Amino acid sequence: MKKWLSEAKQHLMTGISFALPIIIGGSLVVAIAKMIGFGSGVSNLDDYADASGFLHYVYLFQGVGWTAIGLLNVILAAYIAYSIGGKPALAAGFVGGSLAISTNAGFLGAVIAGFFAGYLTILIKNKVQIKGAAASTVPLIILPLITVGLTGILMALVLGGPLGALNQGLIDWINSMTQSGTNKVLLAVILGAMIGFDLGGPVNKAAWMAGNALLASGIYLPNIMINIAICIPPLGYAIATVIRRSKFNATFREAGNGAWIMGMIGITEGAIPFTLRNPLKMIPLNMIGCATGAAITILLGAYDKMPPIGGLYGAISIGNPFAYLIGGISGALIIAIGAVLLGNFNDEEEVKTSKTAKPTEEDEIELVLE
């Protein structure tokens, strides 16, 4: 069971890795179109759907981004299936992901469809054995027929309705939380802590995917919470290497230089080397920093006005950008101060050697004062 769970996690992460460019590219296109619209004094480009002129083309450009975002569940299901069953599983995965959209089964439906299509493909490949001249019909006809057909039945006739109702209920619940000040802060704390927990692992990616699934449904605020939380851990450790350099050996100081960049553009993995130094202390610290920073961002009044861009520079896509920046810096400072107080990022052997080694003859000569 443990082995299967480990493999399932890897298959899920493969699907997410293929979906990442779709979400990032689509979000950036929509955000750029929105910013052009705002610069022209227009808050809703949909008003120019049937118009003519420059803003109509901006509206069409925005549609390109929404088309990309709309492919999220299709790509996710297809490449989970691909990770499990290889190329023969892609057809059923694509169909399952498309049905997850049409039945409103959403992210959860896409994940189930991907796993079902992948494992079903392996089962059929192992069980259906035809020899002779008809052997070529297995990959070209029999396998696609069975996998696409059964995946379609599962999603359209069996799970589509229940998963659609569950997904809509979750969307309505989270949407209601974003309307209440107290619940918004609670949501920020939960999502922020999830982002800080395993830095690119399953829990982190679950929060990230939840935010992007909501973005595809037109709910942007959770994505703001996630985006700022992602920046906090690498920025926190980068700051720590500056405010107390003596606590960090050359390797960690070099990692700190890279962490500045990763924090600015929003890559939590930049904090992994520091976290692995002492996970029992650093993981809770990361969670506290991310949760606090996301909560401060909301408390100070950050709000959504378009699909938010990740990274610190994503402040340009946020209503009240200063709240976004202050929240990120506050969370990063919590991690920076905590890392300095709780951790020691010097090599223990190096420290021990430096304390116990006898001075060389050359050292003694240099210390003699004439």
Side-chain angles (χ1 to χ4, degrees):
M1 184 65 178
K2 186 176 181 181
K3 180 183 177 182
W4 182 87
L5 288 174
S6 177
E7 292 175 350
K9 181 182 76 172
Q10 187 58 48
H11 297 319
L12 177 62
M13 298 300 285
T14 298
I16 290 173
S17 70
F18 275 97
L20 272 170
I22 294 291
I23 283 294
I24 293 172
S27 298
L28 287 173
V29 168
V30 172
I32 290 170
K34 291 279 190 182
M35 285 187 281
I36 293 173
F38 280 121
S40 303
V42 175
S43 59
N44 187 4
L45 289 168
D46 292 344
D47 296 337
Y48 292 83
D50 300 317
S52 59
F54 173 70
L55 287 176
H56 174 67
Y57 293 110
V58 176
Y59 162 79
L60 294 177
F61 183 62
Q62 175 186 256
V64 172
W66 282 120
T67 300
I69 292 171
L71 291 172
L72 167 63
N73 289 328
V74 177
I75 299 299
L76 179 65
Y79 284 97
I80 289 174
Y82 170 76
S83 178
I84 298 169
K87 288 183 181 179
L90 276 173
F94 278 119
V95 171
S98 298
L99 288 171
I101 295 174
S102 63
T103 60
N104 198 32
F107 169 70
L108 181 59
V111 171
I112 292 174
F115 277 102
F116 180 80
Y119 285 117
L120 178 63
T121 299
I122 292 176
L123 178 65
I124 301 304
K125 285 169 65 177
N126 292 335
K127 295 296 183 181
V128 178
Q129 302 290 334
I130 297 179
K131 297 180 181 180
S136 61
T137 63
V138 174
L140 291 176
I141 299 174
I142 296 175
L143 186 62
L145 172 64
I146 297 175
T147 57
V148 170
L150 290 181
T151 301
I153 290 172
L154 176 75
M155 295 306 299
L157 303 181
V158 180
L159 295 181
L163 287 177
L166 175 62
N167 183 57
Q168 189 59 50
L170 288 171
I171 291 174
D172 292 342
W173 175 60
I174 292 177
N175 197 25
S176 68
M177 289 188 74
T178 63
Q179 307 303 316
S180 163
T182 302
N183 287 338
K184 277 193 291 188
V185 174
L186 176 60
L187 184 61
V189 169
I190 293 171
L191 290 176
M194 290 177 70
I195 290 294
F197 177 69
D198 55 359
L199 305 175
V203 176
N204 173 288
K205 283 296 187 287
W208 187 88
M209 284 300 299
N212 283 287
L214 291 167
L215 183 146
S217 301
I219 302 172
Y220 304 151
L221 191 62
N223 215 259
I224 294 175
M225 305 167 185
I226 290 165
N227 285 347
I228 193 58
I230 286 172
C231 299
I232 287 172
L235 279 178
Y237 291 109
I239 294 171
T241 62
V242 172
I243 62 176
R244 191 71 181 274
R245 289 180 64 82
S246 62
K247 280 262 187 172
F248 299 84
N249 63 24
T251 300
F252 281 110
R253 289 198 295 271
E254 186 65 28
N257 294 335
W260 282 110
I261 299 172
M262 293 188 185
M264 293 291 180
I265 64 178
I267 301 176
T268 48
E269 285 83 348
I272 288 176
F274 301 92
T275 303
L276 290 179
R277 182 69 176 188
N278 192 334
L280 292 178
K281 291 181 180 179
M282 296 303 115
I283 288 176
L285 178 63
N286 293 343
M287 294 175 67
I288 292 169
C290 290
T292 303
I296 289 174
T297 298
I298 298 304
L299 283 170
L300 293 180
Y303 63 93
D304 54 313
K305 61 180 183 179
M306 65 177 72
I309 301 172
L312 274 190
Y313 50 80
I316 62 175
S317 64
I318 308 296
N320 194 352
F322 292 107
Y324 184 83
L325 294 173
I326 292 171
I329 294 170
S330 299
L333 286 174
I334 289 172
I335 290 179
I337 294 170
V340 168
L341 294 177
L342 299 175
N344 186 347
F345 299 88
N346 279 306
D347 280 333
E348 294 175 4
E349 292 183 3
E350 180 182 305
V351 173
K352 184 178 179 181
T353 301
S354 66
K355 289 181 178 179
T356 59
K358 296 180 180 179
T360 63
E361 182 178 350
E362 185 180 17
D363 291 335
E364 291 176 344
I365 293 172
E366 289 178 350
L367 291 173
V368 174
L369 299 176
E370 296 292 332

